[in-house]
Amino acid sequence: MTMRAVILISGRGSNMQALLEAGLPVDFACVISNRPEAAGLAIAARHGVPTVVIDHRQHDGRAAFDAALAEEIDRHAPDLVILAGFMRVLTEDFVRHYANRLVNIHPALLPAFPGLDTHARALAAGVKLHGCTVHFVTPEVDAGPIIAQAAVPVLADDTPETLAARVLRQEHRLFPLAVRWLAEGRVRLREDGGTALLPARDGDVDDALISPTG
Ligand code: GRF
């Protein structure tokens, strides 16, 4: 059976676009934005995906907004709810309602740099590798089980903008890959709170990314 997914966005929508264009075995039932001006809405419409705006400013508080959002999402009965640049903290009730079917992409190698301004913070910390993470969402922000990560080198003359662009290129590869694995039923939650990809591929383990390369 094809997996049904709903994507939530707040803005540009480039990760959503990467998902829609990846030829995934996924039925994208709807794209929902909390901002009417989100550029990603037009991209979704161009791909023939229905769009809905649920403006958080029209709701009285976080709980009311999340309830309206959940009502719309549940109309589509999705197997997976994908946060693709959705810039709102969600209530615990909402997150629990979608336990194990809510995923997010974060622009850092979690657990390093949860929250905002990840690229500037990575530069300030002097890390030599940075990247992005696809993870299940749990009530604690940016702390759920990690499904997949992509790492990029941090270069000596990087600015937050150049680093963000390098990470974003990998986000556009990583998110479709992770969603494909989810759609294929290959991602398992482990009892220790982590995840495992099945079947494990033994040959991949020697691929280290070393930075700087000298
Ligand atoms: C991405 O960097 C994503 O990791 C973060 O917000 C940004 C959204 O960009 N959560 P886009 O809307 O997908 O272009």
Side-chain angles (χ1 to χ4, degrees), residues 6-9 13-20 22 24 26 28 80-86 102-106 132-137 147-150 167-183:
V6 168
I7 304 180
L8 308 190
I9 63 169
S14 71
N15 275 289
M16 173 209 72
Q17 183 171 3
L19 291 166
L20 296 181
L24 298 172
V26 175
F28 291 104
L80 189 66
V81 178
I82 302 173
L83 307 182
F86 186 69
L102 183 61
V103 295
N104 179 45
I105 188 156
H106 180 74
C132 52
T133 302
V134 176
H135 64 98
F136 284 112
V137 177
I147 299 167
Q149 296 185 304
V167 171
L168 190 65
R169 284 197 294 276
Q170 298 309 315
E171 293 185 42
H172 295 164
R173 295 177 58 194
L174 187 72
F175 216 180
L177 196 60
V179 170
R180 178 180 297 280
W181 291 335
L182 287 159

Side-chain angles (χ1 to χ4, degrees), residues 4-214:
R4 280 172 74 77
V6 168
I7 304 180
L8 308 190
I9 63 169
S10 294
R12 183 175 55 182
S14 71
N15 275 289
M16 173 209 72
Q17 183 171 3
L19 291 166
L20 296 181
E21 294 178 356
L24 298 172
V26 175
D27 170 16
F28 291 104
C30 184
V31 167
I32 303 174
S33 172
N34 66 306
R35 294 187 174 275
E37 69 276 18
L41 288 168
I43 300 171
R46 274 211 305 278
H47 284 77
V49 179
T51 61
V52 174
V53 173
I54 302 181
D55 189 339
H56 62 278
R57 289 161 298 197
Q58 309 282 326
H59 291 81
D60 199 8
R62 211 173 272 287
F65 169 74
D66 281 11
L69 185 60
E71 191 178 323
E72 177 61 31
I73 293 170
D74 288 347
R75 288 198 323 110
H76 305 281
D79 307 296
L80 189 66
V81 178
I82 302 173
L83 307 182
F86 186 69
M87 304 302 286
R88 299 238 349 142
V89 173
L90 294 159
T91 54
E92 184 162 344
D93 278 353
F94 182 96
V95 172
R96 291 206 188 289
H97 181 63
Y98 297 105
N100 302 339
R101 54 184 177 127
L102 183 61
V103 295
N104 179 45
I105 188 156
H106 180 74
L109 292 173
L110 292 172
F113 313 119
L116 299 174
D117 298 324
T118 55
H119 309 303
R121 287 160 58 210
L123 289 176
V127 295
K128 303 302 184 196
L129 289 168
H130 184 47
C132 52
T133 302
V134 176
H135 64 98
F136 284 112
V137 177
T138 52
E140 192 186 339
V141 174
D142 297 331
I146 291 171
I147 299 167
Q149 296 185 304
V152 301
V154 179
L155 304 182
D157 57 356
D158 265 333
T159 63
E161 291 72 30
T162 60
L163 185 54
R166 191 174 311 118
V167 171
L168 190 65
R169 284 197 294 276
Q170 298 309 315
E171 293 185 42
H172 295 164
R173 295 177 58 194
L174 187 72
F175 216 180
L177 196 60
V179 170
R180 178 180 297 280
W181 291 335
L182 287 159
E184 292 171 351
R186 292 183 55 198
V187 179
R188 288 276 179 279
L189 273 165
R190 292 191 321 223
E191 284 187 6
D192 65 5
T195 73
L197 187 65
L198 302 175
R201 292 188 202 280
D202 223 15
D204 294 345
V205 294
D206 292 332
D207 295 338
L209 177 55
I210 296 174
S211 171
T213 49

